[in-house]
Amino acid sequence: MPSAVAPTARRPRVCTARRLATGLAAALAVAGVACAGRDAPGAARLTPAQAAALPWDSVVARARGTAVVWTMWRGDPSINRYVDTWVAPRLRQRYGITLTTVEGQGADLVNNLVVERDAGRTVGTTSLVWINGEAFANLRRADLLFGPWAGRAPNGAYVDSASPIVRRDFEQDPAGYESPWGTVQFALIYDTARTPRPPRTYGELGAYVRAHPGRFVHDQSFTGLTFLKGLMYARAGGVRRFQGGFREGDYAAGREAVFAWIDSNRAAFWHGGVTYPAGVAELHRLFANGEIDFTMSNNQNDVVTKVRQGVLPRSARAFLLAEGTIANAHYLAVPFNAPNPAGAMVVADFLLSPEAQFEKQKPEVWDDGTVLARARLPAEWRARFDSVARSANAIPADTLAAYARPEVAPQYSERLLADWRTRVRGR
């Protein structure tokens, strides 16, 4: 799930004039999409109080026959195919909802909403957003989310609310402003034909990098950031040191531990540690082309779908480092000025349904982890979830649980990314 980064002030700042112009242009472009499928009368005027009080049947009635624009990460064909060819047709068939997706994540998503607010747009351009972590923190801090509403979704009764990964978003209480819809865990990926015995610790990985110059790199987006956060945990005393909110002293120690590892190994990175792939898709291509020995993903099952699709070689496998890897959940939220909150609520509820959660967990579809508790499901659905055949490429569930480490306060991610950009990228 995309882990997004945005500024931390009450009003997140737009970093450059170019970003401001880009954000405004994107917002106006989406406006055309939103207007193309005009909401049903009253849908745009659903207030948070109404969302909290109306019977669910009334919410569905307001959503029926409307358009929902969903701003989401569009960087993975498997996810896009699931949303475009499986979710969207069923929403249209059952509710008459026309679902349109547009690209947007992290700081850009936050900045677009800031642009709309500052321009006085009380009716905005998107009704649903895919967020977690830093983006959620910044949107809540700036009062840019509609709600609370998530507790109204009937399918929320099936959510695994006992799971610390689902219950807290980077140590934050979703407080009804987010609805969970998937779980993932970071994993490294190697080729058993090229590297039959991959390193099992960050120390061993560093030794491998130095012994095989040019064969390792991480991306500069949220997957690479997750790799760096895992490194921070491992080299600075474990995740417990960083839990319980942001502390400057602990961050400083963690940051220096990260850069000590980078400084020791960077000269042996791909392209001498000067160039970094923009995202995980580019990293996968380098790995598939044999230019590097490891790729990585925030979804431990990404290797399964990418092998099926022929993106990665059949001999590719995922593995976890002994110090543990970060697990988190991704969520859906409704912007403060959503043109169609009712439609967004119905879409989010459908994505929580056992049917939709089961479909996206299939290895041949997306293999995204469910947020539902099997014990809470009707017997029919428990049996169906239990029947999903796991690929030989997949890491066993008990292993994942043993090595899972939670996310900590979003400021750690924000600061680490900013410092990495300054010290490593020189910007």
Side-chain angles (χ1 to χ4, degrees), residues 68-343:
V68 173
V69 176
W70 180 6
T71 299
M72 60 177 289
W73 182 56
R74 296 282 296 178
D76 189 303
S78 298
I79 301 173
N80 297 343
R81 191 177 304 111
Y82 167 70
V83 172
D84 297 342
T85 69
W86 193 90
V87 173
R90 283 160 178 78
L91 288 170
R92 182 182 288 276
Q93 179 184 31
R94 296 176 194 185
Y95 304 104
I97 289 175
T98 300
L99 182 68
T100 302
T101 59
V102 296
E103 171 65 38
Q105 58 177 310
D108 288 335
L109 185 156
V110 174
N111 281 316
N112 285 345
L113 288 174
V114 170
V115 168
E116 291 186 352
R117 181 194 61 195
D118 292 350
R121 295 188 64 108
T122 56
V123 178
T125 56
T126 189
S127 291
L128 192 65
V129 293
W130 176 6
I131 59 172
N132 75 347
E134 303 95 313
F136 176 62
N138 283 284
L139 291 170
R140 284 284 284 134
R141 188 179 298 119
D143 295 326
L144 293 173
L145 292 180
F146 175 93
W149 61 271
R152 300 298 319 288
N155 286 314
Y158 301 129
V159 169
D160 186 2
S161 56
S163 165
I165 301 299
V166 175
R167 189 175 65 246
R168 306 289 287 182
D169 182 4
F170 284 54
E171 294 193 338
Q172 302 164 101
D173 182 0
Y177 288 86
E178 289 184 306
S179 174
W181 77 297
T183 60
V184 291
Q185 186 166 336
F186 178 87
L188 287 159
I189 298 170
Y190 72 112
D191 188 337
T192 57
R194 294 203 309 257
T195 314
R197 294 182 179 82
R200 294 297 180 180
T201 67
Y202 281 100
E204 290 180 7
L205 178 59
Y208 184 97
V209 170
R210 295 189 300 274
H212 302 81
R215 307 294 299 174
F216 175 84
V217 73
H218 60 79
D219 70 89
Q220 55 184 301
S221 189
F222 52 84
T223 302
L225 176 60
T226 305
F227 170 79
L228 296 176
K229 287 188 292 183
L231 176 60
M232 182 176 71
Y233 292 179
R235 308 295 278 193
V239 65
R240 289 187 179 180
R241 177 173 190 172
F242 302 99
Q243 290 179 304
F246 180 79
R247 293 175 296 276
E248 186 68 43
D250 288 330
Y251 169 69
R255 176 192 61 208
E256 294 314 309
V258 167
F259 289 119
W261 189 92
I262 290 175
D263 292 344
S264 296
N265 301 302
R266 183 181 171 192
F269 279 15
W270 179 74
H271 285 195
V274 175
T275 302
Y276 292 81
V280 71
E282 293 83 355
L283 198 67
H284 284 347
R285 282 195 289 270
L286 291 175
F287 175 76
N289 292 339
E291 294 186 53
I292 57 176
D293 289 337
F294 306 99
T295 183
M296 55 189 69
S297 178
N298 269 337
N299 182 347
Q300 73 280 3
N301 293 322
D302 198 24
V303 66
V304 176
T305 55
K306 295 301 184 289
V307 166
R308 283 178 175 269
Q309 295 165 358
V311 174
L312 299 181
R314 290 183 177 275
S315 49
R317 297 289 186 274
F319 72 103
L320 308 178
L321 295 173
E323 294 97 334
T325 64
I326 292 175
N328 65 33
H330 38 270
Y331 301 80
L332 299 170
V334 179
F336 77 104
N337 62 351
N340 188 1

